[in-house]
């Protein structure tokens, strides 16, 4: 949730007192590891929750803020948000060198509609040279059909890892419930992060499949820790691209960290020259 989206969201909900400056936003991103629900909880724990809000309604309230944020983001994207400087030249250089460019819109937290509205700013001619992979393309891919359909995962190791994660989550829940029973409280372990990671993995594999390039020969350029973590899980090289809001963030799973496109930062030549093994 960036600062312009936040302002629109809080205003629509009548929370004009809530205000995220860039330092506050950066601190929330760092402390929550980018998890938007955690960011909101941390923020309202800091400034105080709406006085009319019962404790039992905090979770629905957070979800309503996120829904408004998504709507505000779509409105903002459709109006005036520009492309990141240098990205057009970066894509053109890749296409001129015959390097497949895949843009993933399937796993963005802001929703596929918003992501596609940004991609469309690249223009028809440029879009004709690249591939955009959204939810529909992921589901139609071979990997998507195996994972989301009735088939098994394309890798036995991945299937075993998936089952191990499920078992670990179940065991955490069981232990937590035993402790909670002694304390006479209720608990529920959040498994949404692992489920989201699986969806990102599916998007990455579908992208590689559509590009007709082995996963190990693809390079993910992303600004989210979740995308980088998913790429690491399947052995895909990855570059973290910082923004003004993540300039101080750490990206331990990235093979390289850049501040932008072009010049001294990220270029196709640098990607081609770097050893990724």
């Amino acid at each position: 949730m960036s600062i312009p989206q936040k302002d629109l969201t809080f205003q629509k909900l009548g929370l004009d007192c809530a205000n995220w400056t860039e330092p506050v936003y950066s601190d929330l991103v760092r402390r929550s590891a980018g998890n938007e629900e955690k960011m909101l909880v941390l923020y309202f724990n800091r400034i105080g929750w709406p006085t009319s809000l019962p404790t039992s309604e905090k979770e629905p309230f957070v979800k309503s803020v996120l829904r408004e944020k998504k709507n505000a983001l779509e409105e903002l994207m459709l109006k005036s948000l520009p492309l990141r400087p240098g990205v057009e030249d970066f894509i053109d250089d890749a296409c001129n060198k015959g390097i497949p460019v895949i843009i993933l819109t399937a796993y963005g937290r802001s929703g596929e509609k918003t992501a596609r509205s940004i991609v469309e700013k690249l223009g028809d001619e440029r879009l004709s040279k690249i591939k955009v992979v959204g939810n529909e393309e992921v589901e139609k891919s071979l990997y998507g059909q195996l994972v989301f359909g009735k088939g098994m995962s394309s890798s036995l190791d991945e299937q075993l890892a998936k089952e191990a994660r499920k078992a670990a989550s179940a065991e955490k829940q069981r232990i937590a419930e035993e402790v909670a029973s002694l304390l006479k409280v209720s608990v529920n372990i959040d498994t949404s992060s692992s489920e989201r990671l699986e969806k990102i993995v599916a998007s990455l594999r579908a992208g590689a499949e559509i590009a007709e390039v082995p996963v190990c020969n693809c390079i993910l350029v992303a600004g989210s820790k979740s995308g980088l973590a998913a790429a690491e899980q399947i052995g895909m090289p990855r570059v973290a691209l910082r923004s003004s809001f993540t300039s101080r963030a750490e990206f331990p799973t990235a093979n390289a960290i850049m501040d932008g496109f072009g010049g001294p930062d990220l270029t196709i030549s640098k990607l081609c020259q770097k050893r990724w093994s």
Side-chain angles (χ1 to χ4, degrees), residues 150-169:
K150 297 180 179 180
M152 293 290 288
S153 171
S154 60
S155 163
L156 178 59
D157 288 342
E158 281 188 22
Q159 186 66 22
L160 291 173
K162 182 177 179 180
E163 293 303 319
R165 288 194 296 271
K166 287 183 179 179
S169 294

Side-chain angles (χ1 to χ4, degrees), residues 42-170:
L42 286 169
Y43 183 64
F44 283 109
N45 282 344
R46 176 187 298 181
I47 70 165
W49 294 79
T51 55
S52 61
L53 185 71
T55 302
S56 60
E57 294 296 315
K58 286 184 178 180
E59 184 176 346
F61 170 76
V62 167
K63 292 187 182 301
S64 71
V65 172
L66 290 178
R67 281 195 301 271
E68 285 297 333
K69 168 257 178 182
K70 183 179 178 181
N71 294 333
L73 177 60
E74 289 179 357
E75 183 179 329
L76 181 66
M77 296 299 172
L78 292 173
K79 283 184 177 179
S80 60
L81 195 66
L83 291 169
R84 186 154 180 164
V87 68
E88 292 164 299
D89 291 338
F90 179 83
I91 292 174
D92 290 343
D93 194 17
C95 292
N96 291 336
K97 287 181 169 62
I99 299 173
V101 176
I102 305 292
I103 297 181
L104 302 176
T105 62
Y107 75 80
R109 285 186 178 275
S110 300
E112 184 175 358
K113 179 181 177 181
T114 301
R116 284 189 179 270
S117 70
I118 300 174
V119 172
E120 287 172 0
K121 296 178 186 290
L122 291 170
D124 293 339
E125 183 179 352
R126 194 172 283 111
L127 285 173
S128 69
K129 300 176 183 178
I130 65 179
K131 299 287 186 182
V132 179
V133 176
N135 293 320
E136 183 179 351
E137 288 79 10
V138 172
E139 291 172 2
K140 287 182 177 180
S141 69
L142 177 59
Y143 185 83
Q145 292 180 54
L146 289 169
V147 173
F148 301 121
K150 297 180 179 180
M152 293 290 288
S153 171
S154 60
S155 163
L156 178 59
D157 288 342
E158 281 188 22
Q159 186 66 22
L160 291 173
K162 182 177 179 180
E163 293 303 319
R165 288 194 296 271
K166 287 183 179 179
S169 294

